[in-house]
Amino acid sequence: MLENVDGYVIDLDGTVYKGQQAIDGVMDSIAYIKSIGKRVVFLSNRGNISRHMCHDKLIGMGIDVREEEILLTSTVTATYLRNHAEGAQVWVLGEQGLRDELVLAGLTLAEKPEEAEWLVITLHETLTYKELNEAFRAVRHGARMIATNADKTFPGDEGDSIDVAGMIGALESTTDQKVEVVIGKPSILMAEAALEVLGLPAERCMMIGDSLVSDIGLGKNAGMITTLVLTGSVSREEAEASDVQPDYIWNSLSDLKEILQLETLPK
């Protein structure tokens, strides 16, 4: 029964869209829960884009969302560094979206890798050897490492694709240093950021996502109700055999509208 759920924390990749394509029916579900006064925050481990870029993408898919309702690991990483390393110079292994979020948070981007006090690692879909080597040089000259997330894969247009874990592995194995902080789901840092946006206690919220580890793990760690959707890479059989058990398993986020409508029917 979902009558006590007032806020929905919704994953993006594999839950709302795959690559550049919205998943059938999700737009209607999102519009419906907003129409009945429920609060929504979109929570993603994407760290290579900014909130502005993500907002444009969702609006382009016809999904009703405000920029303030989007929380990416790029956003939360920038907030973390602003709060814990104010004044530090930062080098980025990643793309422009992450740089944009860091600058918006008031952080200083180092001009040279050797000057950096922190290296921020995120997904880099156009990675070159030069960029990887610059990150290597930053760490060899004393930069500490923080990662937007540590996911191994993400669902792309052509199927599962290598994620940030690949970048982390390359740098940890060559520098003999470890990433000190991982921001992304299932980290409590992401859960706290989502609950702050919603303004609700965890027990009044539902986490909906396609990953048992990051989405369902985050929800359970934070004390939220959890729902796994089967539009990602996890099958129902795999979910039922897992040690991590969601409270609900739905075929898709599109199921939510029908479930809520059925609950409002006279008993």
Side-chain angles (χ1 to χ4, degrees):
M1 300 294 289
L2 307 186
E3 59 187 9
N4 293 325
V5 176
D6 295 317
Y8 290 88
V9 183
I10 302 175
D11 172 54
L12 288 174
D13 283 312
T15 302
V16 171
Y17 57 70
K18 281 191 172 183
Q20 301 301 315
Q21 184 66 44
I23 294 168
D24 289 343
V26 301
M27 181 173 60
D28 288 341
S29 277
I30 293 166
Y32 180 74
I33 58 177
K34 287 189 167 191
S35 74
I36 59 174
K38 304 299 185 180
R39 302 178 196 178
V40 178
V41 63
F42 296 93
L43 193 69
S44 172
N45 271 2
R46 278 281 185 164
N48 61 332
I49 60 175
S50 66
R51 282 205 289 185
H52 180 72
M53 294 164 65
C54 185
H55 181 254
D56 285 349
K57 178 176 181 176
L58 292 171
I59 292 295
M61 292 176 175
I63 296 170
D64 175 28
V65 58
R66 292 181 290 110
E67 194 167 311
E68 296 77 17
E69 294 173 322
I70 300 169
L71 273 181
L72 310 173
T73 53
S74 54
T75 316
V76 182
T77 299
T79 301
Y80 179 92
L81 286 172
R82 182 187 64 202
N83 293 340
H84 293 86
E86 185 178 3
Q89 295 197 63
V90 177
W91 190 262
V92 173
L93 179 62
E95 295 163 358
Q96 190 59 43
L98 175 57
R99 292 185 179 89
D100 291 345
E101 289 293 301
L102 293 169
V103 171
L104 281 172
L107 295 158
T108 301
L109 302 183
E111 293 186 2
K112 299 177 181 178
E114 294 83 359
E115 297 173 350
E117 296 161 79
W118 282 92
L119 171 68
V120 187
I121 307 169
T122 192
L123 176 64
H124 196 340
E125 296 182 87
T126 58
L127 180 66
T128 66
Y129 175 79
K130 179 177 182 294
E131 290 169 316
L132 186 61
N133 201 49
E134 286 172 341
F136 168 79
R137 283 162 45 204
V139 178
R140 287 291 291 266
H141 283 82
R144 301 161 68 183
M145 290 191 283
I146 181 172
T148 60
N149 60 298
D151 294 333
K152 294 180 180 180
T153 64
F154 69 94
D157 289 322
E158 299 175 351
D160 283 350
S161 302
I162 190 170
D163 208 334
V164 181
M167 323 296 166
I168 293 172
L171 288 164
E172 286 189 339
S173 64
T174 54
T175 63
D176 293 326
Q177 300 298 314
K178 295 292 183 183
V179 168
E180 296 185 29
V181 183
V182 176
I183 295 294
K185 300 176 290 184
S187 165
I188 195 64
L189 295 169
M190 291 292 280
E192 288 172 347
L195 293 172
E196 182 176 350
V197 170
L198 291 172
L200 292 167
E203 62 269 20
R204 305 282 300 184
C205 298
M206 173 181 281
M207 176 73 224
I208 304 174
D210 69 311
S211 169
L212 287 166
V213 174
S214 63
D215 297 321
I216 305 308
L218 176 139
K220 287 193 169 296
N221 290 342
M224 301 180 197
I225 301 166
T226 58
T227 294
L228 178 78
V229 292
L230 302 177
T231 46
S233 57
V234 179
S235 68
R236 184 177 294 273
E237 291 73 24
E238 289 170 331
E240 291 174 348
S242 173
D243 291 335
V244 181
Q245 285 295 305
D247 296 300
Y248 300 94
I249 300 176
W250 297 341
N251 289 321
S252 169
L253 176 59
S254 63
D255 294 348
L256 177 56
K257 178 180 178 180
E258 182 180 356
I259 291 168
L260 288 172
Q261 287 176 329
L262 286 172
E263 288 202 341
T264 61
L265 291 175
K267 299 297 190 289

